[in-house]
Amino acid sequence: MSDRWQLSVFADEIDPSLEAQIQALHDNEVGHIEFRSAWGKNVLDLDQEELDRAARLLKDGGIRVSAIGSPLGKAPIDGDFAEEQDRLRRALHAAEVLETPMIRIFSFYVEGRYEERRDEVVRRLAAMTEEAERAGNVLVHENESYIFGDLPERCRDILASVDSPHLRAAFDPANFVQCGVQPMRDAWPPLEPYVTHVHIKDAVPVDRTDQEPYPARVPEYLLMPTVRPAGQGEGQLGELLSKLAANGYDGILTIEPHLAFHLPDLDGAGRFRVAVEALRELLAKVPA
């Protein structure tokens, strides 16, 4: 595998304990972590002592933080924006303590009212981006089912409308598959100029025939069973990696295993190992 590829992982899927997460990263020769939770607490809920402890453990373990895996924007668009701004400030503080410039965000639940709530989504993300810019951070928007930025055209609308280098795209091909989108045909062309971060997981299409069209929250029982290791779904991961290589991409590839449904007989460390090995198999095939 070429040295150009820097790998990271949402390590809280390995184990709630940060110490166990760090050990698994060492065991699999992964040098970064997408910090989402530790000791069973979301990063936004960690107090100062816990953040300092996490920073110390990561530094001592030689692990760098690729991004804060925050849940910002996983909230109803009609909710209290002041509360979301407070959560953003906690994320910015965590990013400072953990020494990372990037914070993963989402674009709010709109319950199918895309046109009606579009302007409010853009207003909120613009305000959040301005605050991130003042702090010297970059927000990376992850496309996900049931939020405003689920489909490529709405992701691009957000990014082009806010029009700031402090709001970029975290490209997640599996999430596009779950929305009925072919990632490299339909999503990559409009989003390519904005991609600075990539999430690695694969997926097969979701059967939504018996589901409510626009639930208030992401229905994990519906989406998680469709996730697969890289190269084993319809996310076109090989094509994506080849395109990134051709473009000289020097960012992070963050593994988001989500394999508990697919590989229920393995523990978190075992599922992580499968996910890492699947990605490395694909990377070995990418033209130099």
Side-chain angles (χ1 to χ4, degrees):
M1 185 182 71
S2 170
D3 292 338
R4 66 186 168 184
W5 303 107
Q6 299 183 79
L7 304 189
S8 184
V9 64
F10 283 92
D12 54 353
E13 294 190 30
I14 298 168
D15 193 279
S17 161
L18 182 58
E19 292 87 345
Q21 295 174 28
I22 292 171
Q23 184 59 56
L25 266 66
H26 286 163
D27 292 344
N28 291 274
E29 299 181 349
V30 173
H32 294 75
I33 188 171
E34 199 104 333
F35 199 97
R36 184 168 54 192
S37 71
W39 308 297
K41 293 178 67 173
N42 185 271
V43 60
L44 302 189
D45 297 325
L46 296 176
D47 61 28
Q48 188 63 52
E49 182 179 351
E50 291 164 329
L51 282 173
D52 290 340
R53 177 186 172 195
R56 185 173 58 254
L57 286 169
L58 292 166
K59 183 176 182 180
D60 290 347
I63 302 297
R64 300 180 65 183
V65 178
S66 57
I68 299 298
S70 86
L72 288 166
K74 273 196 171 184
I77 191 59
D78 295 326
D80 184 352
F81 185 44
E83 185 176 308
E84 201 67 6
Q85 288 175 305
D86 181 64
R87 281 156 42 97
L88 171 61
R89 292 176 192 118
R90 295 204 297 274
L92 292 169
H93 178 65
E96 180 181 9
V97 173
L98 297 173
E99 300 183 0
T100 180
M102 289 198 292
I103 299 170
R104 185 273 306 269
I105 67 165
F106 301 89
S107 52
F108 297 95
Y109 297 116
V110 296
E111 299 186 36
R113 298 176 296 158
Y114 294 103
E115 291 187 13
E116 177 187 346
R117 306 310 286 152
R118 179 261 178 202
D119 290 351
E120 179 62 13
V121 168
V122 172
R123 185 189 75 81
R124 291 188 176 200
L125 292 182
M128 293 167 67
T129 300
E130 288 175 5
E131 188 150 359
E133 180 176 4
R134 288 193 292 271
N137 291 93
V138 176
L139 306 180
V140 287
H141 173 265
E142 179 181 350
N143 54 285
E144 183 169 286
S145 296
Y146 302 110
I147 61 172
F148 180 84
D150 53 358
L151 300 183
E153 57 268 28
R154 287 194 280 268
C155 292
R156 183 177 175 86
D157 183 18
I158 291 167
L159 295 160
S161 296
V162 175
D163 191 22
S164 168
H166 292 268
L167 179 64
R168 302 283 93 180
F171 192 86
D172 191 312
N175 289 352
F176 279 127
V177 171
Q178 292 172 335
C179 290
V181 172
Q182 291 190 31
M184 296 309 293
R185 186 193 70 184
D186 301 329
W188 181 258
L191 297 180
E192 180 178 5
Y194 301 98
V195 173
T196 61
H197 202 54
V198 176
H199 286 174
I200 299 294
K201 61 180 184 287
D202 215 333
V204 295
V206 175
D207 181 3
R208 302 177 189 244
T209 54
D210 296 325
Q211 306 302 321
E212 291 291 331
Y214 301 110
R217 287 285 189 273
V218 173
E220 293 190 355
Y221 70 92
L222 176 64
L223 300 177
M224 293 298 188
T226 71
V227 178
R228 301 289 184 271
Q232 298 180 27
E234 298 184 20
Q236 302 172 300
L237 270 295
E239 186 178 345
L240 171 61
L241 294 171
S242 294
K243 179 65 72 172
L244 291 171
N247 287 357
Y249 177 77
D250 60 359
I252 300 286
L253 302 177
T254 296
I255 300 166
E256 192 173 15
H258 284 355
L259 295 174
F261 284 89
H262 182 57
L263 299 171
D265 295 333
L266 297 180
D267 62 9
R271 291 190 290 268
F272 172 47
R273 185 166 50 254
V274 169
V276 173
E277 290 175 354
L279 172 57
R280 285 183 167 144
E281 286 181 12
L282 288 182
L283 291 174
K285 300 175 184 177
V286 176

